[in-house]
Amino acid sequence: VAGRLFDEDDGVRKLAQEVFARFRGIAGYDEQLVIIRRAARIRGKVARRRTDALAALAAARDVGSLDLCVELIEDEDQAVGRAAHVALVALTCEDLGPSMRKWGQWVDKNRGRSRIEWLIDALVSNDEALRTSAGDEIKALTQQYFGFHPSSPRREREVAQQKYRAWWQAEGKKQFG
């Protein structure tokens, strides 16, 4: 599957991205992530291979690639920089624009927290698309639902967020931390 993450056919590549993350925890998965990260990093490679690697890391929700994505956000190849930005947004459900400085600060501040906590934070984002993504992912990851709807008024979203925070402290941290 990992080899198909770089397939010329868009459909095959997208399917491989969807399937790859399901292998998390299986022998060889972490080694493949290292190879994919290396493909994103190596300058001089065809930009398409680097952008495909970043898309794969984003689809796999590879938190271990945060520093790499921050490093690449201001890459001399603009397509790579855009792909790194897209990956950071997918990983964090935040959008700080194409600034290495802003993303570096965010990563430094949030590195010790669980990605689930990042998703909980994003439930009250000003961007409805990010709220939607965060809400869908947190529900799928945790199998918890506290009445969150991304188009609800801010106050209702804050109530759902507080319920997720309480769940995280009481149960989630033990289960996912």
Side-chain angles (χ1 to χ4, degrees):
V1 173
R4 294 292 179 209
L5 294 168
F6 302 98
D7 200 279
E8 291 295 320
D9 184 282
D10 287 343
V12 171
R13 195 172 53 257
K14 297 282 187 210
L15 182 59
Q17 289 172 2
E18 288 178 27
V19 172
F20 180 69
R22 296 179 187 166
F23 289 97
R24 182 176 282 120
I26 293 176
Y29 181 83
D30 291 338
E31 290 80 3
Q32 290 301 315
L33 280 178
V34 169
I35 292 167
I36 297 165
R37 290 176 193 152
R38 191 175 304 131
R41 175 175 281 120
I42 298 176
R43 285 168 174 71
K45 283 278 190 187
V46 177
R48 168 76 185 266
R49 184 158 178 87
R50 295 178 74 202
T51 59
D52 287 351
L54 287 162
L57 295 169
R61 300 304 192 253
D62 177 33
V63 174
S65 68
L66 279 174
D67 290 324
L68 170 64
C69 291
V70 170
E71 171 189 326
L72 295 178
I73 203 164
E74 293 180 2
D75 194 85
E76 67 257 4
D77 187 310
Q78 291 182 353
V80 172
R82 282 191 302 274
H85 177 235
V86 168
L88 284 165
V89 171
L91 290 168
T92 65
C93 283
E94 293 283 341
D95 190 349
L96 305 177
S99 168
M100 185 186 295
R101 182 186 58 76
K102 287 180 183 178
W103 279 109
Q105 290 172 343
W106 189 94
V107 169
D108 289 344
K109 179 181 172 188
N110 290 283
R111 184 182 314 278
R113 299 173 67 218
S114 167
R115 183 165 181 273
I116 292 173
E117 292 176 279
W118 307 345
L119 297 175
I120 293 170
D121 291 347
L123 295 177
V124 295
S125 169
N126 290 330
D127 184 324
E128 187 170 345
L130 293 176
R131 292 193 307 261
T132 300
S133 180
D136 291 348
E137 276 198 66
I138 199 165
K139 189 168 50 170
L141 287 170
T142 67
Q143 300 298 303
Q144 300 294 317
Y145 178 68
F146 296 111
F148 173 78
H149 192 277
S151 62
S152 294
R154 183 171 182 90
R155 182 67 197 126
E156 289 178 27
R157 290 182 280 126
E158 288 171 346
V159 169
Q161 183 189 51
Q162 290 308 313
K163 289 178 181 179
Y164 274 111
R165 287 194 197 288
W167 166 83
W168 177 255
Q169 291 302 318
E171 300 173 38
K173 194 182 292 189
K174 292 176 206 141
Q175 186 177 356
F176 296 96

